[in-house]
Amino acid sequence: MYAIIGAGPMGLCTARQLKKHGIDFVGFELHSDVGGLWDIDNPHSSMYHSAHLISSKGTTEFREFPMRAEVAPYPHQSEMRRYFRDYARQFRLYEHYQFDTRVVQLQRLDQGWKLISERNGEQREWRFDGVLIANGTLHTPNLPRLPGDFSGELLHSNTYKSADIFAGKRVLVVGCGNSACDIAVDAVHRATSVDLSVRRGYHFLPKFILGKPTDTFGGAIKLPRRLKQLVDGLLVRALVGKPSQYGLPDPDYRLYESHPVMNSLVLHHIGHGDIRPRGDIAAVSGQSVTFANGEQAEYDLILMATGYKLDYPFIARDELNWPQEAGAPQLYLNVFHPEHDDLFMLGMVEASGLGWQGRDEQAQLVALYIRQLQAASPAALALRQTIRAQASQRLDGGYRYLQLERMAYYVHKDSYRRRIAEHSAALQRELTNDGVLAAQEA
């Protein structure tokens, strides 16, 4: 019996794969329903009312469960909540979950794990052969200290729900990732003024090219890495220009070496004077903020859109092979522990265009591995040796990703999916051969 922690997109497809391969499991979910952060009613969700997918539905959906035809190319968060609930009903996953249940602690035993859960103030102990952690990466805010004391309202984007909080206020949004830009655009329609504090350069991509989602282009012809960066960079430059033309810093790295910002509306509003770009914050005193270039401005509200930290409070850090100096656990394919075959990290992976189908393939590999380990198959034992030898290696496809904590678990989509497919095919062949042999013997 295995435990799955989380009923967001990753937890659900993990449950689907375990069920498909006949592996018994119990799921644990803090909220009363599925969907994870995509359920805005989940008190642990960082979702906001105006949010949409930043990748298109066709590149994001599960292959075996396409989104409805009438759903927009970039679905609203309410459509995504419906999608995951429909998915859970379709594959009868609700019945496997303990809802409104917190995982308090995981303790390694001589064999397997003790899991302590809590519901309505009452704790319960469970015993499991293995644990699959799938509780997401976007729930513990990264909140750097401001250089001084701010006397106005200070928020992190994880608490943001609606632009109503900006009404009549002078607003400073700190950060320039996808959420920061979405929220700054929201604020334009309610705030007295909106400034955007940007510390480094970003690549901005439009959501549509020639009427089609941007992420649907470029797959037909495979270009060498550097040529793809050059060609795509020139196309983006032709479509939206350089960030410095809008008063933003130009990136000092090539396209795809950090996650791009899928938002051209923020550039539109900067170009119209609705949003004012600012540099890094140098000092704060009262409601006054001084920026790195010496400029000063007064604000009523600062919203820190500064991202999230990996956080697994229910398990000791050393159980995850997570050195203090590392930005993320050191796991093969961001999943497999180099020493233990009973602990798996699901969904601790980011890649441009990976989508939920890529994560479903990850879950399928784990299910096949568990199944084949139980049979002590040669393919599973061979994968075990690979895990031991290559746990610290990163499938970056040759890209020089920025040395940022949030990029510590970033991979190259094509390289990652190719490696996953190779391992799954080897395990599946052996499973098929075993099934044929068993049928012949019967």
Side-chain angles (χ1 to χ4, degrees):
M1 177 77 75
Y2 285 76
I4 298 175
I5 301 175
M10 191 70 242
L12 291 178
C13 68
T14 300
R16 163 66 175 153
Q17 289 294 342
L18 292 196
K19 187 168 184 175
K20 186 188 294 186
H21 288 87
I23 300 168
D24 292 334
F25 68 92
V26 177
F28 296 89
E29 168 55 41
L30 268 170
H31 187 42
S32 58
D33 211 326
V34 303
L37 69 85
W38 287 101
D39 184 350
I40 199 169
D41 294 329
N42 182 341
H44 311 285
S45 170
S46 55
M47 193 57 55
Y48 41 96
H49 288 294
S50 63
H52 290 73
L53 270 181
I54 61 171
S55 54
S56 65
K57 68 176 185 179
T59 62
T60 307
E61 64 194 3
F62 296 118
R63 186 179 299 128
E64 68 172 348
F65 195 74
M67 296 185 199
R68 294 173 296 115
E70 62 269 25
V71 172
Y74 292 97
H76 185 254
Q77 51 87 9
S78 60
E79 289 285 0
M80 300 316 306
R81 177 171 67 175
R82 176 190 301 176
Y83 176 72
F84 293 118
R85 289 180 177 180
D86 289 347
Y87 180 94
R89 281 190 289 267
Q90 173 70 24
F91 299 115
R92 299 182 61 183
L93 303 179
Y94 276 102
E95 62 200 64
H96 294 276
Y97 271 90
Q98 300 281 316
F99 289 101
D100 297 308
T101 302
R102 177 185 298 275
V103 174
V104 177
Q105 191 174 29
L106 284 171
Q107 298 177 3
R108 180 174 291 284
L109 304 174
D110 290 339
Q111 286 190 326
W113 293 85
K114 178 170 76 172
L115 183 151
I116 301 174
S117 68
E118 183 177 271
R119 182 179 184 185
N120 297 328
E122 295 185 5
Q123 292 194 350
R124 177 179 174 182
E125 290 189 5
W126 306 72
R127 295 290 190 275
F128 291 104
D129 298 315
V131 177
L132 299 93
I133 299 174
N135 65 318
T137 60
L138 303 176
H139 47 78
T140 299
N142 175 43
L143 193 57
R145 290 182 60 84
L146 291 173
D149 296 317
F150 182 60
S151 62
E153 192 175 359
L154 179 65
L155 302 173
H156 188 272
S157 58
N158 77 311
T159 65
Y160 174 70
K161 298 298 178 186
S162 165
D164 292 345
I165 65 169
F166 300 130
K169 297 177 182 177
R170 297 165 298 178
V171 174
L172 176 65
V173 177
V174 179
C176 196
N178 283 287
S179 293
C181 291
D182 280 355
I183 293 169
V185 169
D186 279 358
V188 161
H189 305 289
R190 300 300 305 275
T192 298
S193 65
V194 182
D195 289 3
L196 188 66
S197 172
V198 184
R199 185 173 58 179
R200 62 177 180 85
Y202 291 78
H203 290 279
F204 291 83
L205 275 63
K207 281 196 165 182
F208 291 92
I209 298 175
L210 300 176
K212 295 182 179 180
T214 300
D215 59 7
T216 63
F217 283 83
I221 302 174
K222 299 296 183 183
L223 298 176
R225 172 179 53 83
R226 290 296 294 273
L227 182 57
K228 178 175 176 58
Q229 289 177 300
L230 175 63
V231 171
D232 290 1
L234 290 173
L235 176 61
V236 171
R237 179 76 57 84
L239 290 171
V240 301
K242 297 172 63 176
S244 55
Q245 293 175 288
Y246 299 87
L248 296 165
D250 289 323
D252 57 0
Y253 55 92
R254 295 185 178 89
L255 187 61
Y256 306 129
E257 292 178 349
S258 183
H259 203 75
V261 178
M262 297 292 294
N263 189 320
S264 50
L265 279 177
V266 68
L267 302 180
H268 168 90
H269 284 292
I270 289 173
H272 286 74
D274 302 325
I275 298 173
R276 181 171 181 174
R278 299 283 193 175
D280 196 15
I281 297 175
V284 177
S285 179
Q287 289 184 281
S288 178
V289 175
T290 302
F291 297 96
N293 63 358
E295 293 179 348
Q296 289 185 319
E298 300 275 327
Y299 299 101
D300 304 301
L301 186 154
I302 296 179
L303 187 139
M304 305 287 286
T306 46
Y308 296 84
K309 296 180 178 180
L310 292 180
D311 186 24
Y312 307 99
F314 43 78
I315 186 171
R317 186 182 177 110
D318 57 1
E319 291 283 7
L320 300 174
N321 196 37
W322 192 357
Q324 288 296 329
E325 68 277 7
Q330 303 298 286
L331 308 173
Y332 182 61
L333 296 175
N334 294 23
V335 176
F336 298 94
H337 196 286
E339 298 174 11
H340 303 293
D341 294 321
D342 58 2
L343 179 66
F344 306 92
M345 186 69 74
L346 281 302
M348 190 197 73
V349 60
E350 286 294 335
S352 182
L354 185 65
W356 288 307
Q357 179 56 34
R359 290 166 173 82
D360 184 60
E361 291 161 7
Q362 183 190 79
Q364 179 189 37
L365 175 58
V366 171
L368 286 167
Y369 183 60
I370 291 172
R371 179 84 180 275
Q372 291 293 64
L373 272 181
Q374 293 170 348
S377 78
L381 298 178
L383 177 52
R384 175 189 280 172
Q385 293 303 312
T386 301
I387 292 167
R388 303 288 191 269
Q390 300 182 24
S392 62
Q393 294 184 15
R394 184 179 186 183
L395 290 178
D396 57 15
Y399 288 87
R400 299 175 61 185
Y401 294 131
L402 295 188
Q403 296 300 305
L404 302 173
E405 188 169 328
R406 72 177 185 84
M407 296 293 293
Y409 48 98
Y410 208 89
V411 300
H412 178 238
K413 175 194 68 174
D414 295 336
S415 301
Y416 189 82
R417 292 184 73 175
R418 184 163 51 247
R419 184 70 61 84
I420 290 275
E422 289 168 356
H423 289 314
S424 292
L427 293 168
Q428 188 67 57
R429 278 195 303 271
E430 207 153 275
L431 188 65
T432 302
N433 291 340
D434 289 346
V436 170
L437 181 60
Q440 290 173 345
E441 291 175 347

